[in-house]
Amino acid sequence: MAISQENVKLIFGLKVRQLRLEKGLSFAQLSKQTGLSASYLNEIEKGKKYPKIEKINKLSETLEVSFDDLVSLQLSKKLAPLGELLQSNLFKELPFELLGIEPAHLLDLLSNAPAKLGAFLSTLIEISRNYGLRVESLYLNMLRSFQEMHDNYFEGIEEAVESFRAQFFKDVSFPYTFQQLQEILNSEYNYQILPNGLEHQQELKPLRSMTIPGGSPQLLMNPKLTESQKLFTMAKELGYQTLKLSPRPLTSSWISVNSFEEVLNNYKASYFACALALPENAIVEDLKKFLSEPRFNPNLLLDILENYQCTPEMLMHRMTNLLPKVFGIKELFFLRFSTSNEKTFKLTKEMHLSGLHNPHGTALDQSYCRRWASIEILKELRNQEGEDQYGVKCKVQRSQYVNSDNEYLIISLAKPSNKNIGQNSSVSIGLLISPLMKRKVKFHNDPVIPIRIVNETCETCPLYDCHERAAPAHIYEEAQQLKAMKKAVDLLTKQ
């Protein structure tokens, strides 16, 4: 397997370090015997320097190992798992620098670990191979971790948005119009905006937009987009340009994922678009009004959608930015479910702050609980004929989880999708009911809010009298059978 030059340096440094420690030499002692400075030796062991041939000869003589063995990529039995790690997707794809980790420091830590940890590391790598860990899944999980590290609030982007607004919209009424954003893209960045650009592209029918880069970039849009979707699409392009984000995806939905940096830049551009559409100072006041009501008032959320010309997903994402930062509500999650029929519901996006909250997308080939507000609202959406404002449905629920002390206040929004653009989707935000949350959200105990006992999936659920069940509880039953067998074994061995 090919190995990068950076990893060659890391492997060489690991071998030098291991040989030095086996001989009980300090940096000063090895420096004296080789004539190489202690600082240079330190850089070698960290994988930052790769010495020239004459210096490698000095090291091999002092460490009593042949030149060929020292420069070989073959590692000792103890360090072999680290070699596997270096050549695995796990090491190549993780953005250690963004997470504040020096790769050399991580390898140094692992090289000092007991042999059992090396075996554990090899096991993880083998699992990733056997289960076909997809790179895009890895990137998206990394993005969620990155968001959680920052409570999903990025001050630098907020400041860039305010600077942009002061430059281009100082004397402009809100919300912004298609023509205003089009003018900025055209005059500042030489864009050509083609609102019907994807009309005759049959293969690209599911996409909302595509960007063709160049000296005069072209933004091709699906003619079925709503006004708010058009505004978000153009605001996102402004985000790429204003924040100077590169590399970047060229399509609105992922067709291929090339790097974590590309995934991160896509998120930053989306963040910019949401913050531009929903200014922090203004939306905070609206949220304060909404949360301070003693009764749950869905019209206040629907009014925000109308007043700011934004999509339900933009509003929910903006709430995940500001609830932790402004209101101190950090124990929350965001979910997006999609469906094309009444039987299949896919969790297509999720984010959890301050821990992995219920529910989460770990249920492979299982049926998510049909009692969730996120799924119930999609069922109701199929029977809706536009009676709600902008065709948007709003649902609230308190969810109590089986065999758990956790209870969440769930707020869900759903809007029918254009037939040519994709499936119906719901977006939900779940707030862990805690003393702080109760103080901030005055309507948390509104008696009209239904309280439902829920579970993760039907297959793991002990609620046999559930009328909404979509699949037998075979995983739960197998676990109970195994538990009974263990109990029987314990009773027999204690006699």
Side-chain angles (χ1 to χ4, degrees):
M1 180 183 292
I3 189 165
S4 71
Q5 186 61 39
E6 290 303 310
N7 286 351
V8 169
K9 293 179 184 178
L10 288 169
I11 289 175
F12 184 83
L14 282 171
K15 296 180 79 168
V16 170
R17 182 182 184 281
Q18 184 188 31
L19 291 166
R20 177 178 65 81
L21 293 177
E22 286 177 354
K23 291 192 167 296
L25 297 174
S26 66
F27 277 121
Q29 290 170 325
L30 185 58
S31 173
K32 185 177 180 180
Q33 294 182 35
T34 60
L36 306 176
S37 71
S39 60
Y40 183 68
L41 290 170
N42 189 36
E43 292 287 284
I44 289 174
E45 290 192 7
K46 287 182 177 179
K48 295 184 177 180
K49 299 287 187 182
Y50 193 89
K52 294 182 178 179
I53 292 176
E54 61 270 18
K55 293 179 181 178
I56 295 176
N57 276 322
K58 290 179 181 179
L59 284 168
S60 65
E61 291 172 7
T62 304
L63 297 171
E64 298 179 338
V65 64
S66 72
F67 179 94
D68 289 342
D69 284 343
L70 190 55
V71 298
S72 167
L73 298 179
Q74 187 71 32
L75 290 168
S76 67
K77 188 175 181 180
K78 181 183 177 182
L79 296 179
L82 296 182
E84 289 187 56
L85 175 63
L86 284 170
Q87 297 182 63
S88 69
N89 282 342
L90 191 64
F91 191 82
K92 289 186 288 186
E93 308 300 348
L94 285 172
F96 290 107
E97 292 77 12
L98 280 174
L99 302 174
I101 301 171
E102 283 278 350
H105 290 167
L106 176 63
L107 293 174
D108 182 33
L109 177 66
L110 293 173
S111 66
N112 283 321
K116 288 181 180 179
L117 183 56
F120 175 67
L121 187 60
S122 296
T123 302
L124 289 180
I125 294 169
E126 193 63 27
I127 289 172
S128 72
R129 288 172 180 162
N130 290 341
Y131 283 85
L133 180 63
R134 290 169 35 188
V135 171
E136 54 264 40
S137 299
L138 179 63
Y139 287 152
L140 294 173
N141 277 291
M142 285 156 48
L143 175 61
R144 287 197 290 268
S145 297
F146 185 75
Q147 292 172 267
E148 291 159 18
M149 285 170 59
H150 296 84
D151 286 334
N152 202 34
Y153 182 88
F154 295 89
E155 191 169 354
I157 302 179
E158 298 282 352
E159 291 173 353
V161 169
E162 287 308 311
S163 176
F164 180 91
R165 187 176 285 113
Q167 179 180 356
F168 294 105
F169 293 117
K170 188 174 181 179
D171 300 316
V172 177
S173 60
F174 193 85
Y176 315 132
T177 66
F178 180 94
Q179 289 73 22
Q180 289 167 341
L181 297 185
Q182 182 180 34
E183 172 60 27
I184 297 171
L185 281 168
N186 182 263
S187 60
E188 296 294 319
Y189 304 109
N190 202 30
Y191 265 71
Q192 294 182 41
I193 309 300
L194 304 173
N196 300 319
L198 295 180
E199 185 174 14
H200 302 296
Q201 302 295 330
Q202 188 64 27
E203 295 83 2
L204 303 180
K205 187 177 178 180
L207 296 178
R208 290 187 176 186
S209 66
M210 176 181 174
T211 302
I212 301 176
S216 179
Q218 292 182 315
L219 177 59
L220 284 63
M221 290 195 277
N222 192 311
K224 302 294 184 179
L225 292 181
T226 64
E227 189 67 20
S228 57
Q229 288 169 340
K230 290 178 183 177
L231 291 174
F232 176 79
T233 299
M234 292 196 293
K236 192 173 176 181
E237 288 298 318
L238 287 168
Y240 283 121
Q241 297 295 338
T242 303
L243 300 175
K244 297 179 172 59
L245 299 174
S246 181
R248 54 156 295 180
L250 299 179
T251 56
S252 56
S253 301
W254 292 107
I255 294 177
S256 62
V257 183
N258 301 307
S259 68
F260 175 71
E261 189 176 9
E262 188 176 87
V263 172
L264 182 59
N265 287 340
N266 178 69
Y267 168 73
K268 288 179 177 179
S270 297
Y271 189 111
F272 182 96
C274 285
L276 184 64
L278 298 158
E280 181 173 350
N281 292 336
I283 195 65
V284 163
E285 292 305 312
D286 290 329
L287 290 177
K288 284 180 179 178
K289 181 180 179 182
F290 170 63
L291 298 175
S292 64
E293 290 285 316
R295 297 285 182 266
F296 177 73
N297 186 351
N299 290 326
L300 293 178
L301 287 181
L302 299 177
D303 286 344
I304 292 175
L305 296 178
E306 179 184 7
N307 295 337
Y308 293 86
Q309 286 291 293
C310 66
T311 66
E313 186 161 348
M314 289 171 66
L315 174 57
M316 289 296 193
H317 269 301
R318 199 64 176 130
M319 289 174 70
T320 68
N321 302 146
L322 300 175
L323 289 179
K325 174 68 176 179
V326 179
F327 299 90
I329 302 175
K330 298 183 178 182
E331 296 178 302
L332 58 82
F333 63 78
F334 167 90
L335 302 176
R336 181 181 70 198
F337 273 93
S338 297
T339 183
S340 56
N341 55 59
E342 295 181 352
K343 295 182 179 180
T344 305
F345 299 90
K346 295 181 179 179
L347 181 54
T348 52
K349 186 181 288 188
E350 64 175 320
M351 183 189 65
H352 304 260
L353 298 186
S354 300
L356 188 61
H357 300 281
N358 303 93
H360 46 82
T362 57
L364 296 175
D365 301 320
Q366 294 183 39
S367 304
Y368 290 107
C369 178
R370 290 337 195 224
R371 294 184 174 188
W372 290 349
S374 307
I375 290 179
E376 286 189 338
I377 196 172
L378 284 172
K379 292 180 180 179
E380 295 172 7
L381 192 64
R382 297 182 67 84
N383 301 319
Q384 174 183 295
E385 305 236 337
E387 69 272 13
D388 290 335
Q389 192 171 359
Y390 279 84
V392 178
K393 285 193 71 69
C394 182
K395 191 174 186 66
V396 65
Q397 175 181 303
R398 283 176 61 157
S399 295
Q400 297 177 346
Y401 278 82
V402 177
N403 301 325
S404 171
D405 294 330
N406 290 345
E407 182 178 357
Y408 296 87
L409 177 70
I410 315 293
I411 302 171
S412 297
L413 293 172
K415 183 177 182 179
S417 171
N418 291 317
K419 292 181 180 179
N420 293 326
I421 294 193
Q423 304 171 321
N424 283 343
S425 295
S426 70
V427 287
S428 305
I429 189 168
L431 313 179
L432 181 68
I433 296 180
S434 64
L436 183 144
M437 179 270 192
K438 291 178 181 179
R439 292 196 300 272
K440 299 291 184 176
V441 184
K442 302 301 182 183
F443 58 77
H444 72 273
N445 58 353
D446 184 348
V448 303
I449 297 177
I451 300 175
R452 304 214 68 185
I453 298 175
V454 302
N455 196 45
E456 286 281 347
T457 68
C458 295
E459 288 82 351
T460 61
C461 184
L463 302 176
Y464 288 107
D465 60 345
C466 176
H467 297 296
E468 294 89 350
R469 179 177 290 280
H474 63 88
I475 295 178
Y476 171 76
E477 290 168 356
E478 289 170 5
Q480 292 301 108
Q481 185 179 15
L482 183 61
K483 185 177 179 181
M485 291 172 66
K486 290 179 178 178
K487 186 176 180 180
V489 169
D490 289 341
L491 286 174
L492 288 173
T493 54
K494 288 178 181 178
Q495 291 180 355

